[in-house]
Amino acid sequence: MSDVIFEKKGHTAVITVNRPDTLNALCEELISHINSALDAAENDQDIFTVIITGTGKAFIAGADIGEMYEKDREGIRKWARLGCDLNARIESMSLPVIAAINGYALGGGLELALACDIRIASSTARMGLPETGLGVICGAGGTQRLPRIVGDGIAREMIFTAEKIDAQRALSIGLVNRVTDPEALMDEALAVCEAINKNGQLAVRAAKRAVNASRDTDIHDGCIFEREAFSSLFDTEDQKLGMGGFLAGEKNVRFKNK
Ligand code: CAA
């Protein structure tokens, strides 16, 4: 069976990492297959949102320690680039990506989840950056993205102690947006996607670009970026449909995404 399962559920692509023998640890081949699944989602005009999840008791239990162990400095630099590029791609891709964290999200697995737009966790999930306990640090963006999401102090504590936290703690620090019963996780993730999918997708994508810009710019330039994106949407049919629909008292506007 494939180590990545790609399914379409309405306008949502569900990408399931399926390498349970290693708790879905990220090896070079698996990263390549996740990229192929993301290609399939991006190249399908009918897909508006993406969910990434895992099979078994892990979301992704980190980078594959067996594959990394023998590498030297140059070898690991090239290898780490694969994870960095994957996470940068998830972060900057036009479609919103939701991490449905079904179990362990550790090391490179949590780093991938940090690059997603929204994180939803099963109540049984455990998360952490255990790298310092292995004598290394994160290599795929964890030290950069975690402080932006949970704040500097909490991020330092998680990274220096290498301790795992449970889903409730993750919720309380803003690491995940929601916590659900394990059996409700996919329904919850799909419901969030459905709430996104019904909106104008040109607007959703512009919103993602604008929120992303807020990380890299000061507020002045960020607001200019936002204003330009906002204005550009007035060239679209969706703006007339959405605002015209409101003025006509329509409840369910069907956007054309044009
Ligand atoms: N890499 C390779 N194999 C892994 C793995 C990983 N990250 N995580 C788990 N596995 C393998 C185990 O070796 C084991 O294989 P065998 O059955 O052949 O022995 C199998 O998956 C099942 O794991 P456990 O028996 O350990 O399961 P458990 O329930 O007792 O423990 C766990 C679960 C706490 C997640 C434990 O597996 C664990 O600590 N895994 C490692 C987590 C980790 O340190 N991740 C960070 C990796 S470094 C990194 O990600 C660097 C980076 O930033 C890019």
Side-chain angles (χ1 to χ4, degrees):
M1 186 184 271
S2 169
D3 59 8
V4 173
I5 302 164
F6 182 90
E7 297 166 282
K8 281 172 71 168
K9 301 208 169 165
H11 291 296
T12 299
V14 180
I15 296 173
T16 305
V17 181
N18 182 42
R19 198 181 173 229
D21 291 353
T22 58
L23 304 188
N24 302 327
L26 292 167
C27 61
E28 199 168 328
E29 192 179 18
L30 180 57
I31 291 173
S32 158
H33 293 165
I34 295 172
N35 269 312
S36 299
L38 292 170
D39 289 342
E42 278 192 308
N43 293 334
D44 187 333
Q45 299 296 312
D46 213 31
I47 291 296
F48 300 166
T49 44
V50 176
I51 295 173
I52 301 179
T53 193
T55 49
K57 65 182 178 182
F59 173 73
I60 296 170
D64 189 317
I65 297 168
E67 199 172 88
M68 286 183 289
Y69 174 65
E70 292 286 357
K71 293 200 185 295
D72 63 9
R73 186 174 183 154
E74 277 312 305
I76 200 66
R77 183 182 284 131
K78 284 194 196 120
W79 194 90
R81 185 76 192 260
L82 301 174
C84 283
D85 288 352
L86 171 64
N87 293 343
R89 176 194 184 168
I90 289 170
E91 194 167 55
S92 63
M93 71 188 275
S94 59
L95 310 179
V97 184
I98 286 80
I101 303 175
N102 53 299
Y104 290 111
L106 302 173
L110 183 59
E111 290 176 286
L112 185 148
L114 292 171
C116 295
D117 296 277
I118 295 171
R119 286 161 292 281
I120 303 174
S122 154
S123 56
T124 55
R126 310 239 320 146
M127 286 153 260
L129 294 174
E131 285 90 343
T132 54
L134 297 167
V136 296
I137 65 167
C138 306
T143 62
Q144 304 306 300
R145 292 193 179 91
L146 187 65
R148 286 169 161 86
I149 293 170
V150 303
D152 188 87
I154 299 279
R156 284 171 197 259
E157 182 180 331
M158 285 181 67
I159 293 164
F160 298 167
T161 66
E163 284 174 0
K164 302 175 193 61
I165 61 171
D166 64 20
Q168 279 306 327
R169 172 78 178 141
L171 182 66
S172 75
I173 62 173
L175 178 54
V176 301
N177 296 29
R178 305 176 185 208
V179 174
T180 72
D181 290 336
E183 57 281 4
L185 179 65
M186 278 314 290
D187 284 349
E188 187 85 5
L190 285 165
V192 171
C193 288
E194 187 47 41
I196 299 169
N197 294 346
K198 71 178 183 347
N199 296 326
Q201 294 309 302
L202 296 177
V204 169
R205 291 169 198 184
K208 177 165 174 171
R209 287 195 299 276
V211 176
N212 279 356
S214 76
R215 292 183 177 161
D216 304 329
T217 54
D218 62 37
I219 190 147
H220 176 76
D221 288 347
C223 287
I224 292 172
F225 186 97
E226 181 197 71
R227 191 175 66 224
E228 289 307 312
F230 169 71
S231 303
S232 74
L233 291 167
F234 282 71
D235 280 340
T236 67
E237 286 187 43
D238 279 2
Q239 177 267 330
K240 296 290 177 285
L241 282 171
M243 291 193 168
F246 174 82
L247 293 172
E250 280 174 40
K251 288 275 179 263
N252 296 310
V253 174
R254 288 181 73 84
F255 288 101
K256 291 187 178 172
N257 303 323
K258 289 201 259 188

